[in-house]
């Protein structure tokens, strides 16, 4: 189920090329999400210097876990 949020960035999520691979170094699984590379790097995942980072299911989960503590802070934006 897609998460509804007022964040434009999240709205772009999911528009990924078919067959895109996870950008995390050493992974290479099929990507399910594309996110800002900067955000993914900030979360501590090892992706290259691209603007967009593609994440597989597992790494997207990991990304969400790592950004969990920011969620509360961002919650107010979600209610828009
Ligand atoms: Zn991955």
């Amino acid at each position: 189920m897609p998460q509804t949020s007022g964040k434009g960035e999240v709205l772009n999520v999911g528009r990924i090329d078919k067959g895109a691979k996870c950008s995390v170094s050493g992974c290479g699984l099929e990507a399910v999400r594309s996110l800002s590379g900067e955000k993914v790097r900030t979360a501590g995942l090892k992706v290259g210097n691209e603007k967009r980072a593609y994440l597989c299911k597992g790494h997207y989960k990991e990304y969400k876990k790592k950004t969990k503590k920011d969620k509360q802070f961002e919650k107010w934006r979600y209610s828009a």
Side-chain angles (χ1 to χ4, degrees):
M1 220 182 66
Q3 290 181 330
T4 45
S5 100
K7 273 176 83 184
E9 183 173 293
V10 175
L11 291 175
N12 284 330
V13 156
R15 294 168 103 198
I16 59 174
D17 298 328
K18 265 233 160 118
K21 297 280 194 275
C22 179
S23 307
V24 176
S25 140
C27 180
L29 290 176
E30 192 187 340
V32 295
R33 289 282 189 274
S34 89
L35 293 147
S36 146
E38 197 186 331
K39 281 206 152 192
V40 175
R41 283 192 293 278
T42 304
L45 291 171
K46 288 202 157 72
V47 295
N49 276 323
E50 341 284 303
K51 269 196 161 168
R52 274 342 259 175
Y54 297 94
L55 295 181
C56 66
K57 222 174 184 178
H59 278 120
Y60 182 60
K61 246 186 182 169
E62 202 178 321
Y63 166 81
K64 286 219 296 198
K65 221 189 260 176
K66 290 187 193 237
T67 54
K68 209 174 178 183
K69 55 174 182 265
D70 299 328
K71 267 236 171 97
Q72 268 185 323
F73 174 72
E74 288 188 6
K75 212 162 195 176
W76 60 274
R77 291 194 217 162
Y78 279 48
S79 54

